[in-house]
Amino acid sequence: MALHNMLKQAREQAGLTLEKAAECIGISGASFSRMENGLSKVTMDRLEMLATLYDVSASALVAGSIVTRLSTIDLDRLKLVVAAVQEVVNDLGANPSPEKMALAVSELYRLEINYIVNDATAEFSPQRHLGIIEAMFTG
């Protein structure tokens, strides 16, 4: 099912009117309607806001389902992100604070979600993010 159809279904399941959902994410009802009808693109920021508003998984919406909690795919990908960050930290001999580790993991996971929006079946590849992770813990 197309993303715009999934968004409409998730909104209806959450019991929100189109106008109320539009108000919650700060856009006009007309703009929201175009998004739900597939006439305008859904930005990553809006996808994340809508997923939060509807209490669903953004990656599941992209994959064509409505999941009201983290899916196994999300959790598995998150584990891989944590392992990739930890490996770079170990290789660099860094000793980051828990806050910096949390920030790195959350940012990398956000980037990974952005990546899978374009290809929901893409496998996680730490090489895709190594430069970013290293930059977070050096300098």
Side-chain angles (χ1 to χ4, degrees):
M1 184 180 286
L3 177 59
H4 66 277
N5 292 327
M6 294 306 305
L7 291 173
K8 183 175 183 177
Q9 186 178 346
R11 176 183 56 77
E12 290 171 347
Q13 183 175 309
L16 295 171
T17 65
L18 185 144
E19 292 77 18
K20 181 62 178 172
E23 177 186 322
C24 287
I25 67 165
I27 64 173
S28 70
S31 292
F32 198 93
S33 178
R34 284 191 301 275
M35 186 176 59
E36 272 195 356
N37 288 307
L39 301 174
S40 66
K41 292 188 177 190
V42 179
T43 66
M44 191 62 220
D45 288 340
R46 283 190 183 157
L47 177 62
E48 290 175 356
M49 284 190 287
L50 291 169
T52 299
L53 178 63
Y54 302 155
D55 195 26
V56 298
S57 164
S59 63
L61 284 172
V62 171
S65 63
I66 298 175
V67 179
T68 57
R69 55 183 164 73
L70 284 177
S71 69
T72 301
I73 294 168
D74 292 328
L75 291 174
D76 290 345
R77 196 168 296 258
L78 181 58
K79 288 176 191 175
L80 293 170
V81 166
V82 170
V85 170
Q86 187 63 56
E87 184 175 342
V88 170
V89 166
N90 291 346
D91 290 347
L92 293 172
N95 189 20
S97 67
E99 293 82 11
K100 191 164 187 174
M101 281 295 288
L103 177 64
V105 167
S106 65
E107 282 301 305
L108 184 60
Y109 189 65
R110 185 184 60 76
L111 289 171
E112 190 60 18
I113 294 298
N114 284 335
Y115 183 80
I116 66 170
V117 162
N118 295 318
D119 182 2
T121 62
E123 295 292 321
F124 177 74
S125 173
Q127 281 65 37
R128 188 168 41 241
H129 306 292
L130 282 181
I132 295 168
I133 302 168
E134 288 172 352
M136 290 176 163
F137 296 103
T138 58

